[in-house]
Amino acid sequence: MLAYYPVIFTTPNGKGCIVGTLDGNCSFYDIIDKRLQSGTHTSVMSRKKWPSRITGFQFCPTDSRKVIVSSADSQVRVLCGINVVGKFKGNRHSEHRATTGNAS
């Protein structure tokens, strides 16, 4: 199956990256000698629901082990490693969808 990667985000230290897919999966990679080395993979979506694409990542400013993940189903999840440690639900019918990213 062909997978598209709509979101790629580097770690704060520049030694890794997180890749989000259209089917709601996150893959963590290490960057060694300017090459991606496969790391861990996790699904942030519920197994009972139809998967929703990942729309953004943001590292927690106070704890770089935690990553905030937004998705097209208007939910924001907090990952610590590959485990979902928090989940927040937004308004599905709102014009303002939940996204993450750096503010300029």
Side-chain angles (χ1 to χ4, degrees):
M1 174 183 240
L2 183 62
Y4 293 99
Y5 306 105
V7 180
I8 300 174
F9 198 81
T10 58
T11 58
N13 63 9
K15 296 181 180 180
C17 68
I18 305 172
V19 177
T21 63
L22 293 175
D23 59 359
N25 293 313
C26 294
S27 298
F28 297 84
Y29 295 91
D30 293 320
I31 300 173
I32 301 172
D33 296 328
K34 298 182 183 179
R35 295 178 187 253
L36 290 178
Q37 303 293 320
S38 183
T40 57
H41 307 279
T42 188
S43 176
V44 296
M45 301 297 139
S46 168
R47 304 255 186 249
K48 296 178 183 178
K49 294 182 179 180
W50 186 256
S52 186
R53 70 183 167 91
I54 303 297
T55 59
F57 295 112
Q58 179 68 47
F59 281 90
C60 180
T62 58
D63 186 353
S64 62
R65 296 174 300 144
K66 293 184 179 177
V67 180
I68 301 166
V69 180
S70 63
S71 60
D73 64 355
S74 297
Q75 289 195 15
V76 175
R77 294 161 180 86
V78 179
L79 296 178
C80 186
I82 61 169
N83 301 314
V84 177
V85 295
K87 190 185 324 183
F88 306 94
K89 192 179 278 193
N91 185 356
R92 280 189 76 97
H93 302 292
S94 173
E95 289 182 20
H96 306 285
R97 296 285 180 173
T99 60
T100 59
N102 291 333
S104 355

